[in-house]
Amino acid sequence: MEKDLKLFNELVEILLEEEQRQPVAKPIDTDQLFDSLDLELPDTPTLSKDFKASLLEIIKYTPKTASVAFFNQLYGGRISKATLGDLLAVMLNNSMYTYKVGGPQIGIEKIILKKICSMIGYGPQSDGTFAPGGSMSNFMAMVMARDKYDITSRNTGINSKMIVYTSEVSHYSISKNAALMGIGRNQVREVKTNSHGEMLADDLEMKIKKDLAVGNHPFFVNCTAGTTVMGAFDDVPLIHKVSSRYNLWLHLDGAYCGSVIFSKKFKHLVNGVELTNSFSVNAHKMLGTPLSCSIIVTQDTKDLHLSFSNDAEYLYQTDGDEFNLGKISLQCGRRNDALKFWTLWKSIGTQGLERLVDKQFQLADVARNYINIHPDYELYSFEDSISVCFNYKDIPAKGLCTALYQNATLMVSFGVFKNQEFVRLVTVNSSLEEKDIINFFKELETFVENHNFNIK
Ligand SMILES: *Cc1c(COP(=O)(O)O)cnc(C)c1O
């Protein structure tokens, strides 16, 4: 082990240098991937120097998600105290299903969940779990809602047309999950949104009434805190008025921006979260924790048990159910995603998490200001969003983003909202400072100057 730890440190040092030297790794064309790198799996052992050389090459060409040129995704950066926790979790290698195997790690998971439940105003019956991602958090919410609506469905299967409501700009996992859980994609209603991408309560109610009139069974409404493209926040109290009138489960998908709960300045964006039945948040997005770190909490722990517990004599042999987390989780064997969030939270405190969140909004302000004072740019997104959507000199965003990537200049993606395509600059990367935002625009402008684009 010692030898490999030494190698690990060596490789990581090179990775850190590489991130500075070449913030965007040169992309390899997919049709050349297996010829350019030594990925082949041999019959005989590899000499250690060749093994190391292969790893170095792979590291060099792997996209650098912690570099200051990474704006591509809803995550990025590296916070060392969180990374430390994840490295420890790998070394400890506990599975989180039982107290016997997880020990104090179970307490670490439970204390995070308890704290989040109390922060959002959930009552003493509330609880939660760590899911394999935000999509699966949504899945768990939908399954709990289904079982609460019809307790027989977990045994008999679904025998009626059960209907899901979510906004037209919500995450694709809602319809995918509907397919996975036997509800069917056709039973997902896409509720219209306003000009900012917030779900319209009137359209929601109209759609519910229409379904009821033909004998369908509405059971679940999904709200979003931070839509994937524009970063919009649905108005929870407004939607709750409708969902509660029809007795529907209300979930708040906060995978992207649910972490505003940590900020005094921005938690108003999820006003009404205490009214929801379930809430999910990805610490691997705004909180800079390594992938993946996804939390789902619900008002009543009974619903978790109802949908996810299974007796298994070979597994649950000691301790009370309260500490055998396998009784309320999606998986059986489950990696420890809690420790990295705990090491982060423990070391920087709740105030440190608040600073992380506030900084991203501040950087988004910097970006929007830059766009607003430079006439070659047009802004499409809004205040209170860490997704800054814009076009530069009317250059088609898709072509621009692809060229920036192929030339290893910047990693940034494009998005579409209400038929408008644009560059989507995300300020979530924890490595970023104000100068990196300004630098982004300078790099973009220089790049456009030196390449041929169809400029209007
Ligand atoms: C990222 C995201 C998800 C999916 O989370 P994963 O961890 O990638 O599965 C779900 N909903 C929203 C709003 C997201 O932004």
Side-chain angles (χ1 to χ4, degrees):
M1 190 71 224
E2 246 113 79
K3 230 175 105 193
D4 280 326
L5 278 181
K6 204 168 145 257
L7 175 62
F8 176 77
N9 277 317
E10 242 180 277
L11 293 172
V12 166
E13 241 162 69
I14 291 167
L15 165 63
L16 295 179
E17 280 166 24
E18 195 66 22
E19 272 172 11
Q20 301 278 330
R21 202 183 59 77
Q22 179 75 50
V24 180
K26 266 201 169 2
I28 303 175
D29 277 350
T30 48
D31 56 2
Q32 281 157 26
L33 177 62
F34 296 102
D35 300 327
S36 344
L37 295 177
D38 173 29
L39 305 180
E40 204 49 62
L41 294 168
D43 290 332
T44 56
T46 305
L47 290 176
S48 52
K49 77 167 188 6
D50 296 339
F51 178 71
K52 183 176 163 185
S54 298
L55 285 174
L56 279 174
E57 282 283 292
I58 291 167
I59 287 170
K60 186 172 167 190
Y61 288 101
T62 296
K64 301 296 180 288
T65 63
S67 90
V68 294
F70 187 77
F71 304 87
N72 202 72
Q73 232 70 43
L74 305 183
Y75 79 95
R78 182 185 302 108
I79 304 178
S80 61
K81 284 293 191 292
T83 305
L84 170 76
D86 210 12
L87 293 171
L88 278 177
V90 170
M91 291 299 288
L92 288 164
N93 200 29
N94 304 95
S95 183
M96 299 297 273
Y97 37 37
T98 62
Y99 187 73
K100 188 179 180 187
V101 173
Q105 302 299 325
I106 303 296
I108 281 173
E109 176 160 323
K110 282 178 76 72
I111 207 144
I112 291 172
L113 294 166
K114 214 171 125 190
K115 188 106 178 166
I116 287 180
C117 283
S118 98
M119 283 178 73
I120 62 172
Y122 275 13
Q125 294 306 312
S126 59
D127 202 356
T129 184
F130 282 64
S135 300
M136 284 297 112
S137 291
N138 290 343
F139 181 75
M140 294 185 80
M142 291 168 79
V143 171
M144 284 189 284
R146 180 199 69 190
D147 294 345
K148 178 138 183 139
Y149 179 83
D150 177 6
I151 182 65
T152 66
S153 65
R154 49 177 270 166
N155 292 323
T156 60
I158 292 164
N159 302 308
S160 63
K161 271 203 178 350
M162 295 183 71
I163 313 291
V164 169
Y165 304 84
T166 191
S167 94
E168 58 188 351
V169 293
S170 63
H171 192 259
Y172 72 81
S173 57
I174 301 297
S175 59
K176 181 169 168 176
N177 290 338
L180 295 180
M181 65 197 281
I183 298 281
R185 287 175 196 263
N186 292 350
Q187 275 60 255
V188 178
R189 303 286 176 258
E190 293 196 348
V191 181
K192 290 194 187 116
T193 55
N194 66 15
S195 60
H196 288 214
E198 299 157 10
M199 180 154 56
L200 292 174
D202 290 350
D203 190 53
L204 170 65
E205 180 149 31
M206 197 196 75
K207 287 187 157 76
I208 294 171
K209 281 183 173 158
K210 218 166 134 186
D211 276 311
L212 288 170
V214 295
N216 290 340
H217 297 262
F219 78 103
F220 180 83
V221 178
N222 176 63
C223 278
T224 309
T227 55
T228 310
V229 175
M230 297 289 274
F233 291 79
D234 285 332
D235 186 332
V236 175
L238 196 70
I239 299 300
H240 176 257
K241 259 195 206 140
V242 179
S243 68
S244 60
R245 196 172 296 145
Y246 298 92
N247 211 11
L248 313 182
W249 184 288
L250 182 60
H251 174 63
L252 179 58
D253 174 4
Y256 182 16
C257 296
S259 297
V260 294
I261 60 169
F262 290 97
S263 165
K264 286 188 274 299
K265 202 165 159 202
F266 294 102
K267 69 178 176 197
H268 70 91
L269 296 170
V270 292
N271 267 350
V273 57
E274 72 282 356
L275 303 170
T276 59
N277 297 89
S278 53
F279 167 69
S280 55
V281 56
N282 276 356
H284 68 251
K285 286 182 172 168
M286 286 187 88
L287 299 179
T289 306
L291 279 164
S292 45
C293 192
S294 295
I295 290 165
I296 160 98
V297 290
T298 181
Q299 290 274 10
D300 194 343
T301 183
K302 267 207 304 253
D303 291 317
L304 278 166
H305 280 274
L306 199 67
S307 295
F308 301 105
S309 74
N310 240 81
D311 282 329
E313 219 175 300
Y314 55 81
L315 185 61
Y316 304 110
Q317 298 174 339
T318 62
D319 308 298
D321 274 358
E322 200 199 330
F323 286 82
N324 288 330
L325 299 185
K327 294 256 170 168
I328 52 170
S329 65
L330 192 59
Q331 308 105 299
C332 175
R334 188 165 59 98
R335 107 183 271 287
N336 180 359
D337 287 333
L339 182 57
K340 56 193 166 192
F341 187 23
W342 186 87
T343 51
L344 174 66
W345 198 338
K346 185 83 173 170
S347 67
I348 66 175
T350 310
Q351 289 171 355
L353 299 180
E354 174 170 37
R355 275 193 293 276
L356 278 176
V357 169
D358 288 354
K359 186 174 163 204
Q360 291 160 31
F361 282 99
Q362 188 224 323
L363 293 179
D365 280 343
V366 169
R368 273 190 301 269
N369 285 341
Y370 188 96
I371 289 166
N372 283 329
I373 60 174
H374 288 79
D376 284 337
Y377 289 88
E378 188 172 357
L379 183 69
Y380 296 98
S381 56
F382 308 97
E383 299 284 295
D384 287 340
S385 163
I386 60 167
S387 297
V388 182
C389 304
F390 69 89
N391 276 330
Y392 179 59
K393 293 188 170 177
D394 279 335
I395 302 169
K398 184 177 177 180
L400 180 58
C401 294
T402 307
L404 285 164
Y405 158 66
Q406 282 169 345
N407 285 274
T409 305
L410 291 166
M411 294 277 280
V412 65
S413 73
F414 59 93
V416 180
F417 179 69
K418 311 250 184 214
N419 292 321
Q420 181 65 52
E421 189 189 275
F422 40 66
V423 179
R424 184 191 59 165
L425 163 67
V426 187
T427 58
V428 77
N429 179 341
S430 62
S431 306
L432 300 177
E433 299 297 340
E434 207 171 308
K435 67 172 174 11
D436 301 310
I437 303 295
I438 304 300
N439 205 39
F440 168 89
F441 290 112
K442 298 293 175 206
E443 291 251 14
L444 178 87
E445 289 159 19
T446 311
F447 184 81
V448 168
E449 221 176 278
N450 296 331
H451 292 76
N452 277 329
F453 288 98
N454 279 330
I455 297 172
K456 269 189 202 162

